[in-house]
Amino acid sequence: LQCVDRAGSVRAGAPEPTGAAAAQWAAARQWPGGSVFALCAALRSRGRTLGVVTFLRGVSRTQFERGDAMYAESVAVRIAGAVDLAALGSA
C-alpha cells in the first residue's frame, strides 16, 4: 500500500535474510517462502491506479537498488498501459 501512496516504488527487506524471521516476513505478506527482498511499483495509467506489481528476490541475490527500481517503474508503466487498453477493449 505504501507504493500506491508514494510517487515512486518501495523497496523492502526481511529483518534477517535467513532463518525463521525471514520466513515469517514472507508469509505475513503472502509471498513465496524464501523471499527476502521486495520491490513494489504502482500500476498507473491515465491518472488512475490500477494495481501494484511486486518483484521478489531470494537470499542468493542482492537487495534491490535504485537502478532496479527505475527498471521496475518502466515495466509497471508498460503493464498499466496494457491493462488499461485491455479494459477499454472489453467495455
Side-chain angles (χ1 to χ4, degrees), residues 7-10 41-42 55 66 68-78:
S9 57
V10 174
F55 301 89
R66 182 66 197 143
D68 299 316
M70 291 172 50
Y71 180 72
E73 290 167 9
S74 72
V75 170
V77 167
R78 287 185 233 135

Side-chain angles (χ1 to χ4, degrees), residues 8-81:
S9 57
V10 174
R11 294 177 276 174
E16 297 175 21
T18 59
Q24 290 174 350
W25 182 82
R29 288 153 181 82
Q30 298 180 354
W31 292 336
S35 300
V36 294
F37 302 115
L39 173 63
C40 299
L43 302 175
R44 292 192 174 96
S45 179
R46 296 186 301 147
R48 296 178 305 149
T49 301
L50 305 174
V52 174
V53 62
T54 303
F55 301 89
L56 301 171
R57 286 186 175 165
V59 71
S60 64
R61 302 279 312 270
T62 61
Q63 62 184 345
F64 290 100
E65 296 180 2
R66 182 66 197 143
D68 299 316
M70 291 172 50
Y71 180 72
E73 290 167 9
S74 72
V75 170
V77 167
R78 287 185 233 135
I79 293 171

